[in-house]
Every structure is written in C-alpha cells, then in structure tokens.
Amino acid sequence: MQNKKRLYASVLIWAAALGVLYLTRYYNYLFFYALTEMFSVAVAVAIFMLVWNVRRSLDNPYLLFVGVAYLFVGCLDLVHTLAYQGMGLFKQYEANLQTQLWIASRYLESLSLMLGSFFLGRRLKLEFVLVGCLGATALLLGTIFYWDVFPACFVEGVGPTAFKELSDYAIVLILAAAIAMLFNQSDQFDPVGLRFIGASIAFTILSELCFSFFMDVYGIPYFFGHFLKLISFYCIYKAIIELGMSKPFAVLFRNLKDSEDIFRRERDFISAVLSTAGALVVILDLEGRIVRFNRACERLTGYSFEEVKGRPFGDLFLIPEEVGPVQAVFGRLSMGQFPNEYENHWVARDGSRRRIMWSNTALAGSGGSVEHIICTGIDITERKRAEEALREAHDELERRVQERTAELVAANKQLAQQLAERRRAEEELREAEKKYRIVADNTYDWEWWRDPKGNFIYVSPSCKRITYHERDEFQGDPDLLFRIIHPEDQASFIRHQNDVEQAYSSGELEFRILRPDGSLRWLAHTCQPVFDDHGRLLGRRGSNRDITAHRAADDALRESEKQLRYLSSRLLTAQETERRRIAGALHDELGGALAVLKLRTRFIERNLQPGQTAIREECQWNLQYIDQIIDDVHRLSRDLSPSILEDIGLTPALGWLIDNFVRHYGIKAAPRIENVDHLLSRDDQIMIFRTFQEALTNIGKHAQAGNVVIEVRRVEDRISLFVEDDGRGFDMEELSAKKVSEKGLGLAAMNERARMLGGSLSLRSEQGKGTRIALSIPLRKGEKR
C-alpha cells in the first residue's frame, strides 16, 4: 500500500513538472529548450561523478564505460545548448551548427551504450576509456569548428539534409542493437536497473525518430523530441544514480556481493568439515597460539575452544621433556620446511596422557610467507600400549626361555641354536621396522572430500604416491575409487560409507587397493559425513593412511609369539623328562648305594668286639642317619616325578599330594575330586598335577590360610578344577599394575600350562578374603566318553 501511494505521488509530481515545462514553451521557447538540455547535461555529469568516485570498487565494466562516456556526451550537449539560436554565443553560425552538435552528441551516446556491452566480463582500463572518449569528442568538435568538414545537417529555408536523416535512422539502429546486446547479458545487471536502462534507450529511440521529422528548430517534432530526451535522461538517472545510491550492492557492486556469498559458503563448508572431522585439527599462528581447535580436540583434552583460543599450545598440552623438541619442529615449520610428521604426548585436563601422531603443514599467504601452521593428528595411545604389551610379553618369554635353558643342560645346545636364529630374526625384524619408520616419516595421508553424489571435490596430491593415480583422474571419474578397491573389500567399504552417514559406526575401516601394476596396499580409512546447520548432507571427508608395512610388522610379531610358545611347550616337556630322569637316578642309583652302605655298616657293627662300645654306638647312629637320608631321597624322587602318577593315575596322585600338603603345612584340606583320569592323556595329567602342586606350594608358603578347598569335576564337555583358600589374599589391581617380570614365575607357569592344555586359568583374590585359582580344560576330540 505504501509503495502504491509513493508511486501515485511520483506520477503526479512528474505530470505537474512536465505540464509546467510544457507551458514554459509558450512563455519562452528558449527557456524551455535550456531547461531540458541543462537537465540532460546535469544528469550526464552526475552519472560521471558517481561512477568516477566508486571506480576502484565498481565491478560492472558497462556502467564504468557508460559513466565516463556520458561526461563527454554532456559536454557536447552543453555546447549544443549554447549554440542554439537566440543564445548569442555563436552568432556567426546558423541553425546547422546546433544540428551538427546534436548529431555528434547522439552518435557518441548511442555508440557508448552499444560498445559498453562488449566490455562485460572483461577488465577495463579507465585511462584508455578517458583518452578514447576525450579523443572522440575533440575529433568531433574539430571537424565542426576547426576543419569544418563535418557534413551539413540543416539548410536554412530547405530543412534537414539527407545526411541528417540517414544519421537519425543509423542512431536508431545502433540504439536498438544496444538494447538487444544489453538484454542478452541481463544476468550482469540488477533487474530493476536493467529495465530503467532499457527504457532510457527506448525513449532515446523515440526522441530520435521525432527529430527525424522536424523541419525547423521551433516545430512540434523538435519540441516532442526534447520532451522524450528529458524522460530518457530521467530513466538513466533512475537506473544508475538513484538505484546506485539506494541499492549499491545490487547495481554497482553486484559481483562483489556474489563473491562474498561464495566465500561465505566456502568458509561455512570448511568450518563444518573441521568441526566434524574425526581426526584432531589444530591451527596455530606464528607465535604458537591456538587459532582453531576442532571438536575432536575438545573431546580428547577436555578443554573447549573458548578456553584455549589465543593461548600458546606449549603451555597447555605438552609434557616438560617434550617442549624443546616440539618447539624445534614448530620452528622448522615456521620457516617453510613442510610438510612434516611427528609424534608427541598431549596432557588432557584430567592429567591423562595421550600419544598423538601429527601430520603438520603450513599455510602460506599471498606473498609466499608462512601465516599459519596446520596440524592434523591421530590418537595412537592404544596402539602404542598394545605394542608395548607385545614387547613386554616378548621380553618375558625370552627371559623365561633363557632361565629354563640354564636349568636343562642336556637341551642347551639345541635351544642355543634356536635362540641364535631367533635373535637373527629379531635383528632382521628391527632392521625392517627401522626402514619402515624412515619410510613412514616421509609419507603423508591421502585426503579427499566428496559431495553427496560421490563426486570428488578435493583429492590431495598424496593419492599418486599411494595409488599410482593422479588426483585429476579421481576428480574426473568418481567410480575410479571403487574400481581400485580389492573386490573382496568393496561390499564392506560401501556398507561402511552408509553406516558412517547414519552414525552406525565409528568411521574407521581397513581395506585393500589394487595399483595399476597389480600390487596391493592396505589403507586405514576414516571418514565423516559433513552436515549443514539444517542437517542436510554437504559431503563426506575421507582420510587414508598406508598401513601396509604396519600390518606386515604385526604379522611378524604374531609369528614370533607363536614360535616362543612352541619353545615354551618344548621346555616344559623337556623339564618333565629331566625330572623323571633325576628322580629315577635318585631312587635307583643313590637309593641303592645307601642300602649297600647300610648293610656294610650293620656288618661292621656285628663283628665288633664286646669292649668296642663307642664304635658300636657310632654305627647305630650312622644306621639311623642313613635311614633318614634314604627317606629324604625317596621324598625328593616322589616330588620330582611321583611314581604313583605314572602307576595308577592323576586322581590317586592328587590325593597323595594333598596328604603331604596337610602333613607338611598343617592346613586343613577339603578335597572333592572326581575321577577324570580316563578323559586325559598322560602328558595332560602331568601338567594338571604340576598346576595343583604349584598352587598348593604357594598357599603353604604365602597365604597363611587355615583351610583349603580342592575340586576336580567334569562339566559337560569340559573339566573344571579349582583351589580356594581362606588366607590373607592380595590386591588384584596392584598385581595387574606390575610388569610381567615382577609377577614371578609361578603364576606365569600355570598360565602357560593352561594354554598348552587348550584351556584357561582365572585368578580371583581380595585382601583378607582368600584366593581362588580355577582351571577350565576342554575335552579333546576323541576323549568325550
């Protein structure tokens, strides 16, 4: 409603102004003529002044060209006005002069409106336009005033010449072409401004057609021609000056606004990617202060971006011993030595430490100097812990092998040879790991961004090093990614992409790719969907790390552990064999020798003279001592290899072991032993017996218990065994925190025997509440009777 009122008011005002202007024609025709022409001159000069003052920011070359040209059109119109009959400035000239100036001015105006369209989308040099327009204007004025070669346009008493009439139609055609060319590139203009420019050219055409019919400078066509020219200049005033002042970004700086919108969308997209990335992303300035800190960093450290923004990263997250090396890396990055990979610890708000693998690079400014450091990290804490655990297990197994080899002299040569081979293999493995580390320190991840349709928006140059394909190949052929994935991994990759988009998975996957030369590479892939504020999918970000060497190293470590377990099994078997040999030697050789010694001592006693009392007492004492030695030898022989275990089986042997335990330590025992001898091989019975022997020995020495419960029974297809005491117990967390080398060999030996049996050993204890050791063994195929 308000716009309609404003429109009606504007129409009334213009109707009144045109009416007054029309009446001035009857009062003083010269005054009417001067008013219309000076209005045109004023508009032309105003257009030039507006365009000139915004020339450095104006991004529409058409308006810039036309604005400069209109200054000279206004100059010609001003001279044309002063040359009008009655002004008295050019008395020696007749009506032909003002008609010549009119035609010159209209040619300059029409050609400017048409030629301006050629400069759309091009860079315009303003000085060339000024020089060109100035030269054209000077040339036109020179042909009229100095050389007097400009064709005659009006002859007194005859009227307009043929040149003037042809010029009118030529100007109309040029203006018509200008309209067509202008509307053909309408996307370069504000719609309202374009309509006003089109209207201005249309009224100029009508004005020129009116002038083509005039016979004298005071006639009706001449009057209406000026009237239409006034409306034409008003329209150009509305298009450039009024709209340019009220809507500068729509008229004068249209492309600038479009560029700002594109920049804003790209900035929002990059911000969304950084915020949702699964990897850690930190951006630092050259002073080491935090500029960006994505959500993954917030989750890992416990700090929000607002808390760390602008603070030096070294004061927040680094441990003291790593401050120097990290600052050295930062210094190299600041000097342009990038990209770079590095590992260090980060300390979170709660004091916990996390090991981070960083891929660092720098962002250079337009001058080539470094402006920001971009750090992308992956938390490898758990992987490092797993590697450390494997190394500790490896070291512990090797130590146990060395200790056992010292006890088993007979197997020493064979084991020494195997250990030497093992050391050589480890040295080769360490050398391979060293080479891999050198390679890994100089490799970088393959990053990509894809739109919702799967097209690649961005592919990092590292793709060529990993896949042997140029990144342009991926951007030109989105299906290339699926063609290089190993056929066995394609289904899991597609399922992984869908699960990540619907938040069903963590975004991590390992898969293989096929290079053009037929080689395979393993990649560790992480990806995250990127959504806008309305939940619409903007694309997916993927990060791929070549882990082929890591997988090979893991396979080597597993094979090493398998070999060490085989050696451990051989050691336990050799140990039992050596125990039986020593037990037999003690029982047969040493026991027989002591029996002979006893018989000879008794013979000496019987052949003593009645008066040799002292020697007789010494012989009796020696006979008692020999009996004691014989009992100790028999006990040692039974401990090393109880004959009852081989003679009548596991169940009686366990009964004998429990009786000796009760008699020796004075601890009450409650055995509930089911006969399972027929379900176990002799070697299995020996390992079970040794496990019970180790458990009861530990209870007798350390538990300070009063009662022990022992149970052996069959449960479906397994044999369940446990020993439980009511002693002082111990702290399980404290035991778990100890290194493998600090836990002692007893528990390790029981665990190893459980593995050899194919079963599992569990330990449960609490301070002041006793200890329970449970062994569960599956029945082997053919033993389930």
Side-chain angles (χ1 to χ4, degrees), residues 115-135:
L115 292 176
S117 300
F118 287 105
F119 295 104
L120 285 172
R122 295 182 174 87
R123 188 173 182 84
L124 186 64
K125 292 188 176 182
L126 193 59
E127 54 270 23
F128 290 166
V129 178
L130 279 170
V131 171
C133 291
L134 179 61

Side-chain angles (χ1 to χ4, degrees), residues 394-412:
H394 167 268
D395 294 341
E396 173 60 18
L397 287 172
E398 185 174 283
R399 184 183 63 81
R400 287 165 52 193
V401 168
Q402 292 174 349
E403 290 179 354
R404 301 277 174 91
T405 53
E407 298 174 1
L408 303 173
V409 178
N412 182 61

Side-chain angles (χ1 to χ4, degrees), residues 683-698:
D683 289 341
D684 291 350
Q685 292 181 30
I686 291 172
M687 282 188 280
I688 293 173
F689 179 83
R690 293 301 181 198
T691 302
F692 272 98
Q693 189 179 42
E694 186 72 39
L696 292 174
T697 300
N698 286 340

